[in-house]
Amino acid sequence: MTVGVFLFSLLGAMAIGMPIAYALLICGLSLMAFMAATGALAAFDSQILAQRFVDGADNFPLLAVPFFLLAGEFMNAGGLSRRIVNLAMAWVGHFRGGLGYVAVLAAVIMASLSGSAVADTAALSALLIPMMRQAGYQVNRSAGLIAAGGIIAPVIPPSIGLIIFGVAGNVSITKLFLAGIVPGILMGVAIGIAWWIVARRENVQPAPRVSMAERLRLTGQGSLAIALPVVILGGMKFGVFTPTEAAVVAAVYSFVVGMFIYRELKPAHLYGLILSAGKTTAVVMFLVAAAMVSAWLITVANIPTEVANMLSPFMGNRILLMLVIMVIVVLVGTALDFTPTVLILTPVLMPVVLKAGIDPVYFGVLFIMNNAIGLITPPVGTVLNVVSGVARITLDDAFKGVMPFFIAELIVLFTLVLFPDIVMVPLKWLLR
């Protein structure tokens, strides 16, 4: 019955058009009222809801979110993103379908800088779609490739999604970052292979080969951008700074490089960039705070136990349980955006995962990857909406274009479910 109240209140509030954050608060109110009426709680107490709401946002690791968002703004305005595209163009642009490989390589590199799928997709779309359209590539296929590349950002560190999951699930963010490296790279390889298959039907001339001297020059220009993920991951691995401190380092680094070295970031830009990062942070933090109210009541109402009982036929087989959970998350991801899905499902699924003996770091990476794939599935598909807007095509055309790459990334996801060592062995090596 408690699960029914949880689902009815949450989905009902969303069905009437209520924003997700407010729907989560309504869900918390409904759960508390139901438990008070049935005697599971002594009384309905609105002060507890207010306290849990404030405590949800009062979390030190969440400070990483605004700083990584600000770093992404500085990178795009300061010329780091453009230099990464130029670097990729110099090395792989001359292959058949070369601009597609540029998009894939640039997406992987940029994912290791900002951690935001929407920001990376917007930047790559603005830079590459006009070039691909002018070169004669199918626009919907180009848009689909860029969208599929953009969702690598929540998987490869530094990832805002992994930070939110780590906070909601009480899992080490440093371990999540390190565990996300190999899956993120595999996503890039998978969409690169899918593009190789698709590009054989593209009747376009590759870009001229760039001389080695020019390649080295462009690599030198982009080296400061490429150095950032090395600094971040190296600093966390050797204990120089925490993930939250790494976000500050990323913001300061991108600011200094953009302002004083590349000199494309101007003082006049700062107010707008900080305001943009602040607005996005406010949305994320309000969602997190509201979700913590529901998460506490989910725990008090013992909903994870009820869910575990529902999944009990699969509890004896970790791989089968993970397959079932991943299928559920894929379906939920078509209807909910990334952050709400993470915040709603994490407190429900984590106790089930721990009871089954599944490593929470391994689960977290696959869970975030699954939710990232949801960003390119309609009707919500935030990244798909962004790329269709930039490319000036319909959402249906964008989804048709993304389909081969969507399938490729699903193959990677379910391969990692079947073979957990692909994630865990590199993680153990990195933690040595």
Side-chain angles (χ1 to χ4, degrees):
M1 184 62 181
T2 311
V3 175
V5 172
F6 168 73
L7 291 175
F8 179 78
S9 59
L10 179 63
L11 298 178
M14 291 167 54
I16 62 174
M18 188 173 289
I20 298 291
Y22 293 104
L24 287 167
L25 290 175
I26 292 295
C27 177
L29 287 168
S30 302
L31 280 173
M32 178 171 276
F34 174 76
M35 287 187 290
T38 56
L41 281 178
F44 183 92
D45 189 347
S46 58
Q47 291 184 2
I48 294 178
L49 296 178
Q51 181 184 356
R52 292 292 170 180
F53 183 85
V54 173
D55 289 345
D58 186 16
N59 193 304
F60 181 73
L62 285 177
L63 275 175
V65 173
F67 285 107
F68 276 130
L69 288 171
L70 188 59
E73 297 284 352
F74 287 158
M75 287 171 204
N76 290 334
L80 279 76
S81 301
R82 181 170 54 78
R83 283 171 173 78
I84 288 170
V85 171
N86 291 341
L87 184 155
M89 187 71 188
W91 287 98
V92 299
H94 59 279
F95 294 120
R96 183 179 181 84
L99 282 175
Y101 299 118
V102 170
V104 175
L105 182 57
V108 173
I109 296 173
M110 288 179 63
S112 65
L113 298 177
S114 74
S116 171
V118 173
D120 284 4
T121 303
L124 283 175
S125 299
L127 290 167
L128 287 175
I129 285 180
M131 295 171 63
M132 297 180 85
R133 178 183 273 120
Q134 186 176 5
Y137 291 87
Q138 294 182 40
V139 178
N140 67 326
R141 193 71 78 199
S142 304
L145 176 65
I146 291 171
I151 66 168
I152 298 174
V155 181
I156 287 184
S159 161
I160 293 171
L162 289 175
I163 293 169
I164 293 172
F165 172 82
V167 171
N170 195 26
V171 181
S172 167
I173 295 173
T174 300
K175 289 182 179 180
L176 287 168
F177 275 12
L178 295 176
I181 297 172
V182 171
I185 292 173
L186 288 176
M187 290 174 73
V189 171
I191 62 174
I193 292 172
W195 176 254
W196 175 76
I197 295 170
V198 168
R200 290 184 299 177
R201 290 176 290 180
E202 294 276 5
N203 187 25
V204 294
Q205 289 296 321
R209 183 185 293 268
V210 176
S211 67
M212 183 57 67
E214 182 65 7
R215 288 180 184 176
L216 295 176
R217 186 184 70 82
L218 292 172
T219 301
Q221 287 184 354
S223 60
L224 290 173
I226 297 173
L228 180 55
V230 177
V231 171
I232 292 174
L233 292 176
M236 287 191 298
K237 174 175 170 53
F238 296 108
V240 179
F241 40 69
T242 66
T244 305
E245 293 163 346
V248 179
V249 170
V252 173
Y253 182 96
S254 54
F255 169 77
V256 171
V257 171
M259 177 75 77
F260 301 109
I261 299 178
Y262 292 158
R263 297 184 179 180
E264 293 186 22
L265 181 61
K266 307 298 182 184
H269 298 156
L270 295 181
Y271 176 78
L273 297 176
I274 293 171
L275 182 63
S276 176
K279 287 180 178 178
T280 308
T281 300
V283 172
V284 173
M285 295 298 282
F286 193 85
L287 270 169
V288 172
M292 290 302 105
V293 174
S294 294
W296 177 73
L297 286 163
I298 285 168
T299 304
V300 172
N302 212 21
I303 289 177
T305 301
E306 295 187 35
V307 174
N309 292 335
M310 295 176 187
L311 295 174
S312 58
F314 312 105
M315 294 294 283
N317 188 318
R318 297 177 188 176
I319 291 178
L320 186 58
L321 177 63
M322 281 291 291
L323 283 171
V324 171
I325 290 175
M326 290 299 114
V327 170
I328 292 171
V329 176
V330 167
L331 296 175
V332 173
T334 62
L336 283 179
D337 201 3
F338 181 92
T339 304
T341 307
V342 174
L343 293 170
I344 292 168
L345 292 184
T346 298
V348 175
L349 294 176
M350 274 299 289
V352 177
V353 167
L354 294 173
K355 184 178 179 181
I358 297 171
D359 190 294
V361 174
Y362 164 72
F363 169 75
V365 170
L366 266 63
F367 179 59
I368 291 299
M369 181 189 295
N370 200 331
N371 281 289
I373 291 172
L375 291 169
I376 55 173
T377 56
V380 176
T382 309
V383 165
L384 206 61
N385 278 285
V386 168
V387 78
S388 63
V390 175
R392 300 189 300 278
I393 58 175
T394 66
L395 191 63
D396 287 345
D397 285 341
F399 185 63
K400 290 175 185 176
V402 83
M403 185 58 72
F405 316 111
F406 170 72
I407 293 171
E409 290 176 321
L410 279 182
I411 290 172
V412 172
L413 173 66
F414 287 105
T415 299
L416 296 179
V417 171
L418 296 174
F419 303 101
D421 284 348
I422 297 175
V423 177
M424 299 310 297
V425 170
L427 174 61
K428 291 175 183 177
W429 182 81
L430 288 170
L431 289 173
R432 287 191 305 178

